[in-house]
Amino acid sequence: MVILGVILVLIVVAALWMAGVYNGLVRLRENVKNGWSQIDVQLKRRHDLIPNLVETAKGYMAHESKTLENVIKARQQAIDASSFKDKQAAENFLSSTLRSLFAVSENYPNLKADQQMRQLHEELTTTENKIAFARQYFNDEVNRLNVAVQAFPNNVVANMFKFEKRDFFELEDASEKKVPEVKF
Amino acid sequence: MPYSFTQIEEDKTKTIRFVFFFLILVYFAVFWLIAVIALNALDYEANPYVFRFRFAVLDLPHILIILGLAFMIGYAHWGFTTAGLVTRILGVLKAEALNPKDTYHQMFRNIVEEVSVATGGRKMEPVIVPTMAMNAFAVTDFSGRAVIGLTEGVLARLTRAQIEAVVGHEAAHIVTGDSLATTITTSLFELFSGVLRGFEAIFRFGGGGRNRSSVRAQGRGGGGVIVFLLLIYFLLAFTKFLSYLMRMFISRQREYRADAIATRLTRDPLSLAEALYAISYRWRGVGLPAQELESIFIINPAYSSIDEQNGFLPDLFSTHPPVHQRMGILLNMAHSDLKTVIKNIDHQAQRPRSSAPDIGTVSLQWMVNKDGAWQGPFNMAQLTVLGGIGPETWIQRIGGGNVQLLYQDPEARDAVIKNDLGAKNSSYHCPRCAVPLRILTYEGTEVFKCPSCRGTLVGENDIKRIIIREEIGFSDRIEKIAQGIQREETSGLVNVIKRDPKTLLKCPKCRFINNRMMRMFYTEVYRIEIDRCFNCGLIWFDADELEVLQCMIESALSKSK
């Protein structure tokens, strides 16, 4: 009788623990999902801004048609990309073409002074920053999820309910990877 | 790095509960003391000759009643101060919503959105305090409304990266929840300080209005009242002291933490160090109200030497840690040093200015064959409003050029046919030339410029911003005019404004009610003649006057630094 009671208590405790772990994992997964949707929103915003940018820049930099074409091509690739891996590569390529466009635009003072261009530049800067920050957040959350899914004893529950590891959204630029150390 | 923003969100500081119970405790202590004193006073009144002060005059039911009372009053106090708190504080700080047409404000809004993304989507609302002072703050209340505020001074003088770092710091206060704690604590005891000031006023009035000795001569009753008032006064001073202490306890360490979290957020400790340096050592500025709210700011707006010291007492009383220590930690993270920061800030102060934007090309002028006679010269803007000319009109450029038909000259064609001067028409008309004023972005804000006489119409709020910002450089000509006006002032050759009502301009906005603008000096210190509408606040500057005014103010400021 006593043994039966002990077993019953143990089962209840185990169930409660599993529920807690399960809920924690669900929350993490939702955070990752939310992080990804934030990145997605910003990437779309960038795609929308680019035609305007190219249109404005065209008037001033007729000699740089190749740079402009590259940007347009990269944008199309990014829109067409479907898998996570392709998307990542295409977006990184788009970032690099945009960077070279802004580098070239430094040589055109009239373009830099153009009010609309300045506005677009600010819009793109903020979108680029948002993408970077959203990626930062996403990767942090992915990291937490991955740790939670693999660490013992959580992994028992994770395997039972098919929680899976996620891939990070990688950067192409090695210099950006460096995270400053935080000391209190 | 296990400390992510969701985690911070999850284990927010529990200070707020502590503050609530502290408030109840304070009320309980106050009521208990008042009851003890009152009961003793009654004893004294009843029989002054055998009176002995007794401390334990209250039994348990009384104490419970007092506790209940303290709880009720404390709860009411809590509810009263925390309802609509953010709105109230923003009112005290005279903060304004952003102007969506202002480029600086657009940038600020974008930066806040970026940082919000970095925290995983915590909503934050940007506001601006229109002063030259350099500071930033965050406030939050129970409704979850979180506001990040910057002064115009910060927006004008810091770079985008530095502003991002400052906003990151403020966002860190919001996500850790200590913004909520500080907002609530600082405002809880505003009430006390208000009551205290009221008492002070009564005492001063009593002392000045009546003779003290005569009050005392009125007998024991009057004396009792004074003793009673004095005691309440001291009690209030004591509670204020307690609240002050508590506020300090919350405040100091959290700045380090916010700096660290801001670094995790924006990954740019160098910019934050630069911003701290620029704000605290270069020009802290003046013009921020509300000293009692000092703990919500990134840098203490009231400079106090105790902030820069370490040790037990400074730790206790100061709201902010020493700036040099905060910078030291940040520079350590950035693998940089103070020299780099100073070099960058100096470099920033000397960044190249852009020239003032203009409408059309002023230098181009044409003679026009109109109504069978050569007329002119006209500039582009004048051509757009001339009338009676078309593509087939004969024109000639001044300073060389053949007589040709108007459509053959590209600039003249743009001006007349497309009415295109590179700027949009506004709904206002020039008070001097009656042509539509053009919308122009000047120092990041929207102004209206006459293409013909080159006068500028500026809104009441925008003029403050234009003066604070330093994006545009001035030509030698403008600088000479500014120096000339200043010389005239110092030599006493002050010109008097002619106020002939017939020459007063009609306000471009209020002209339908026939309102004329008042001619006056911008201020008595900067004697630039402006026309100002007292109905809507619009200011009209004639050609060059706006630049000259800015130039005068900037040179005066650079001398005072």
Side-chain angles (χ1 to χ4, degrees):
Chain A
M1 194 62 203
V2 175
I3 295 169
L4 206 69
V6 167
I7 289 173
L8 209 68
V9 166
L10 277 180
I11 288 174
V12 168
V13 166
L16 281 178
W17 170 77
M18 266 171 64
V21 170
Y22 179 80
N23 287 344
L25 287 170
V26 166
R27 192 158 57 234
L28 284 173
R29 196 170 56 185
E30 285 308 306
N31 281 343
V32 168
K33 224 185 260 174
N34 166 34
W36 176 250
S37 69
Q38 287 221 44
I39 298 180
D40 221 33
V41 167
Q42 300 309 331
L43 291 177
K44 285 217 177 68
R45 168 114 187 92
R46 180 160 77 168
H47 298 160
D48 294 345
L49 281 170
I50 284 170
N52 252 333
L53 173 82
V54 170
E55 207 49 49
T56 311
K58 225 186 234 167
Y60 292 94
M61 37 203 286
H63 304 298
E64 310 283 353
S65 56
K66 193 144 179 277
T67 321
L68 293 174
E69 272 165 28
N70 273 344
V71 174
I72 294 175
K73 226 190 309 173
R75 171 180 179 262
Q76 201 50 48
Q77 274 175 18
I79 291 176
D80 294 341
S82 51
S83 79
F84 187 77
K85 274 254 154 57
D86 288 351
K87 199 164 192 153
Q88 200 167 303
E91 292 295 346
N92 285 337
F93 180 55
L94 180 57
S95 293
S96 71
T97 57
L98 276 176
R99 220 169 296 140
S100 65
L101 173 64
F102 282 119
V104 170
S105 76
E106 291 292 311
N107 302 332
Y108 295 82
N110 285 341
L111 178 61
K112 264 173 69 191
D114 185 287
Q115 197 58 43
Q116 202 184 348
M117 185 63 188
R118 281 169 71 167
Q119 210 125 19
L120 277 168
H121 191 277
E122 167 62 29
E123 282 300 311
L124 263 169
T125 310
T126 186
T127 311
E128 291 284 323
N129 286 348
K130 279 175 197 163
I131 292 171
F133 285 149
R135 189 163 51 188
Q136 190 174 298
Y137 175 82
F138 173 77
N139 286 344
D140 277 0
E141 292 305 316
V142 167
N143 188 37
R144 289 181 68 203
L145 178 71
N146 290 352
V147 169
V149 166
Q150 291 170 93
F152 183 80
N154 286 10
N155 60 351
V156 180
V157 181
N159 283 334
M160 214 187 287
F161 294 100
K162 304 230 167 358
F163 282 93
E164 276 167 3
K165 264 177 70 183
R166 286 288 298 262
D167 287 335
F168 290 108
F169 195 74
E170 298 283 354
L171 302 163
E172 94 281 21
D173 192 347
S175 71
E176 276 182 47
K177 273 186 179 163
K178 219 170 53 191
V179 178
E181 344 165 15
V182 180
K183 273 188 202 150
F184 286 86
Chain B
M1 60 190 126
Y3 214 48
S4 86
F5 292 101
T6 15
Q7 260 170 315
I8 292 170
E9 194 76 35
E10 280 156 18
D11 53 45
K12 269 182 185 170
T13 50
K14 305 281 189 296
T15 332
I16 219 75
R17 228 168 286 164
F18 171 70
V19 170
F20 179 71
F21 286 113
F22 183 81
L23 183 74
I24 305 286
L25 190 75
V26 165
Y27 268 110
F28 176 73
V30 169
F31 290 149
W32 183 74
L33 270 174
I34 290 175
V36 167
I37 290 161
L39 287 177
N40 275 297
L42 282 178
D43 276 2
Y44 180 76
E45 288 288 314
N47 198 349
Y49 302 105
V50 293
F51 172 73
R52 254 180 48 239
F53 191 86
R54 288 182 303 144
F55 218 64
V57 281
L58 296 168
D59 46 11
L60 192 66
H62 280 113
I63 289 178
L64 281 179
I65 288 171
I66 288 174
L67 190 64
L69 198 67
F71 203 84
M72 269 163 57
I73 302 272
Y75 196 75
H77 181 174
W78 182 264
F80 178 72
T81 34
T82 53
L85 186 55
V86 166
T87 319
R88 212 139 34 86
I89 291 182
L90 294 185
V92 172
L93 294 170
K94 298 194 176 64
E96 293 172 0
L98 301 190
N99 176 357
K101 282 178 184 156
D102 189 304
T103 55
Y104 284 71
H105 291 190
Q106 284 163 2
M107 180 183 74
F108 178 29
R109 179 180 297 277
N110 286 342
I111 288 176
V112 170
E113 281 172 9
E114 285 162 29
V115 172
S116 159
V117 167
T119 60
R122 175 75 166 95
K123 285 267 174 302
M124 298 171 217
E125 186 186 326
V127 298
I128 195 88
V129 183
T131 77
M132 280 188 169
M134 305 274 284
N135 229 319
F137 64 89
V139 284
T140 320
D141 66 13
F142 279 121
S143 65
R145 186 177 173 205
V147 172
I148 293 181
L150 293 186
T151 60
E152 286 283 356
V154 163
L155 269 191
R157 287 197 191 82
L158 299 188
T159 63
R160 197 181 198 283
Q162 289 162 357
I163 295 172
E164 181 115 44
V166 169
V167 170
H169 172 99
E170 298 306 335
H173 281 314
I174 291 173
V175 292
T176 54
D178 48 40
S179 167
L180 181 64
T182 9
T183 311
I184 303 276
T185 12
T186 44
S187 41
L188 269 184
F189 296 103
E190 257 180 318
L191 201 75
F192 275 121
S193 55
V195 174
L196 268 181
R197 257 179 264 127
F199 269 98
E200 265 173 336
I202 291 170
F203 273 86
R204 227 172 281 133
F205 179 75
R210 282 189 287 176
N211 193 342
R212 278 261 154 143
S213 57
S214 75
V215 176
R216 210 171 290 148
Q218 275 173 2
R220 275 182 213 121
V225 168
I226 289 219
V227 168
F228 186 66
L229 280 178
L230 263 175
L231 271 169
I232 289 182
Y233 182 84
F234 281 125
L235 279 175
L236 282 170
F238 177 67
T239 51
K240 178 157 164 76
F241 170 74
L242 276 183
S243 70
Y244 193 64
L245 253 182
M246 192 180 63
R247 170 154 51 115
M248 303 314 144
F249 266 121
I250 305 169
S251 260
R252 210 173 192 193
Q253 295 308 315
R254 66 195 193 101
E255 293 295 331
Y256 290 123
R257 198 153 80 109
D259 284 346
I261 294 172
T263 304
R264 267 192 45 65
L265 213 64
T266 62
R267 316 265 150 124
D268 192 1
L270 183 62
S271 291
L272 185 55
E274 283 171 4
L276 286 178
Y277 182 83
I279 294 175
S280 51
Y281 294 119
R282 280 300 152 93
W283 202 46
R284 208 172 281 210
V286 287
L288 267 179
Q291 300 293 317
E292 274 141 17
L293 295 173
E294 65 183 44
S295 23
I296 65 173
F297 290 100
I298 185 169
I299 296 277
N300 194 347
Y303 179 80
S304 76
S305 57
I306 204 168
D307 277 346
E308 301 307 315
Q309 291 159 20
N310 281 311
F312 178 67
L313 279 179
D315 275 349
L316 211 56
F317 288 106
S318 173
T319 46
H320 291 72
V323 175
H324 68 87
Q325 261 176 25
R326 288 169 74 181
M327 283 183 63
I329 296 170
L330 289 168
L331 288 175
N332 194 17
M333 288 187 218
H335 304 294
S336 184
D337 54 13
L338 190 61
K339 256 187 223 147
T340 325
V341 169
I342 294 173
K343 205 181 75 197
N344 289 351
I345 297 281
D346 283 340
H347 185 70
Q348 202 172 310
Q350 288 152 7
R351 71 184 151 196
R353 305 287 191 93
S354 56
S355 54
D358 209 339
I359 298 162
T361 316
V362 198
S363 53
L364 290 177
Q365 288 188 319
W366 291 269
M367 295 298 291
V368 177
N369 192 326
K370 184 173 169 256
D371 307 329
W374 283 98
Q375 301 178 6
F378 300 111
N379 64 24
M380 268 175 91
Q382 286 160 335
L383 281 189
T384 62
V385 290
L386 199 56
I389 56 173
E392 305 276 302
T393 309
W394 290 101
I395 60 165
Q396 184 184 23
R397 266 191 201 207
I398 301 275
N402 301 323
V403 173
Q404 53 186 347
L405 289 170
L406 188 137
Y407 72 85
Q408 290 168 319
D409 186 311
E411 275 87 9
R413 192 180 58 210
D414 278 358
V416 173
I417 297 166
K418 292 195 198 154
N419 195 11
D420 178 15
L421 296 170
K424 275 190 224 128
N425 273 343
S426 72
S427 59
Y428 299 137
H429 286 71
C430 174
R432 290 199 188 280
C433 324
V435 302
L437 295 173
R438 308 284 168 143
I439 300 171
L440 204 64
T441 304
Y442 184 84
E443 298 273 15
T445 191
E446 191 180 69
V447 300
F448 309 96
K449 189 153 185 156
C450 173
S452 180
C453 70
R454 308 216 148 332
T456 314
L457 187 71
V458 183
E460 194 175 19
N461 287 329
D462 297 324
I463 186 67
K464 287 184 274 183
R465 301 195 174 112
I466 289 174
I467 283 171
I468 293 168
R469 292 173 187 171
E470 299 172 340
E471 186 181 311
I472 282 166
F474 307 105
S475 62
D476 287 350
R477 188 174 64 88
I478 298 286
E479 274 176 25
K480 283 210 178 92
I481 299 174
Q483 283 162 11
I485 293 173
Q486 268 154 345
R487 260 203 304 280
E488 265 180 34
E489 272 166 36
T490 43
S491 64
L493 275 171
V494 177
N495 40 350
V496 179
I497 301 179
K498 291 182 226 106
R499 285 204 179 87
D500 181 1
K502 279 186 189 139
T503 68
L504 290 181
L505 302 176
K506 273 187 194 168
C507 172
K509 192 175 182 183
C510 315
R511 68 202 160 108
F512 300 112
I513 56 169
N514 221 8
N515 200 14
R516 286 185 188 271
M517 296 170 112
M518 195 64 196
R519 190 153 304 155
M520 55 194 287
F521 287 128
Y522 181 72
T523 65
E524 287 301 312
V525 185
Y526 303 110
R527 292 182 167 256
I528 292 287
E529 246 183 73
I530 58 165
D531 296 274
R532 183 183 183 138
C533 176
F534 279 91
N535 191 29
C536 62
L538 280 174
I539 301 176
W540 172 258
F541 291 91
D542 282 327
D544 296 337
E545 281 178 352
L546 180 59
E547 282 100 324
V548 171
L549 174 67
Q550 276 184 282
C551 189
M552 281 165 76
I553 294 177
E554 269 178 35
S555 73
L557 281 180
S558 65
K559 266 178 219 154
S560 74
K561 265 178 208 168

